[in-house]
Amino acid sequence: MSDDIVLTPKTKIKPKIDKPRLYKVILFNDDYTPREFVIMILQAVFRTGESAGYHIMITAHRKGSCVVAVYARDIAETKVKEAMDYAKDAGFPLMFTAEPEE
Ligand code: TYC
C-alpha cells in the first residue's frame, strides 16, 4: 500500500459556455416597395418610431442595405419572418435577413 495522500477537489469544474451570439436584422433595398410601406413595417415590427424608421429606410434605399437592430437569434428570425409575411401579403418583394454578428 502506498502512503500517498489523495486529495479530491471539492469544487466541480464547470465548462465555460459561450454567450449566445446576437443576430443583426438587415433590410435590403428594392425598386418596388413604397418608402412609406417600408417605414410602416419598421415601426410595426421593429418598433423603430417614425424618425428612426425613416432613417433606416433611406439608408437602405441609398446604400443597398441597412442594419435595423440586433437581437437574440429566435427573436431576429421571428421578426424577419413577420416583416416579410406582411410585405408578401401586400405584394411587395421587401427583403430582410438575420445574420450572426462576428
Ligand atoms: N427603393 C424603394 C423605392 O424607391 C424604397 C425602398 C427603400 C425599398 C428601402 C426597400 O429597403 C428598402 N420605392
Side-chain angles (χ1 to χ4, degrees):
M1 265 292 250
S2 122
D3 289 337
D4 289 356
I5 301 166
V6 178
L7 295 170
T8 318
K10 280 199 180 140
T11 46
K12 273 197 184 152
I13 295 156
K14 194 173 159 195
K16 274 206 175 146
I17 307 287
D18 286 339
K19 265 201 205 157
R21 282 215 276 183
L22 291 173
Y23 281 64
K24 298 179 284 190
V25 170
I26 300 174
L27 165 68
F28 291 88
N29 187 37
D30 67 69
D31 291 338
Y32 305 100
T33 310
R35 292 177 179 204
E36 281 307 320
F37 184 86
V38 179
I39 297 168
M40 186 275 287
I41 295 275
L42 290 171
Q43 291 189 87
V45 178
F46 300 96
R47 305 282 165 204
T48 58
E50 199 175 342
S51 172
Y54 173 81
H55 282 99
I56 293 165
M57 178 283 293
I58 208 68
T59 302
H61 177 76
R62 290 180 181 151
K63 301 197 166 173
S65 65
C66 182
V67 175
V68 177
V70 170
Y71 302 100
R73 183 179 184 172
D74 56 340
I75 296 170
E77 286 173 348
T78 303
K79 285 184 183 284
V80 163
K81 186 176 184 306
E82 201 183 335
M84 286 179 59
D85 284 351
Y86 268 125
K88 203 174 164 193
D89 287 352
F92 298 125
L94 189 61
M95 191 160 94
F96 292 87
T97 60
E99 298 178 15
E101 280 195 322
E102 297 81 42

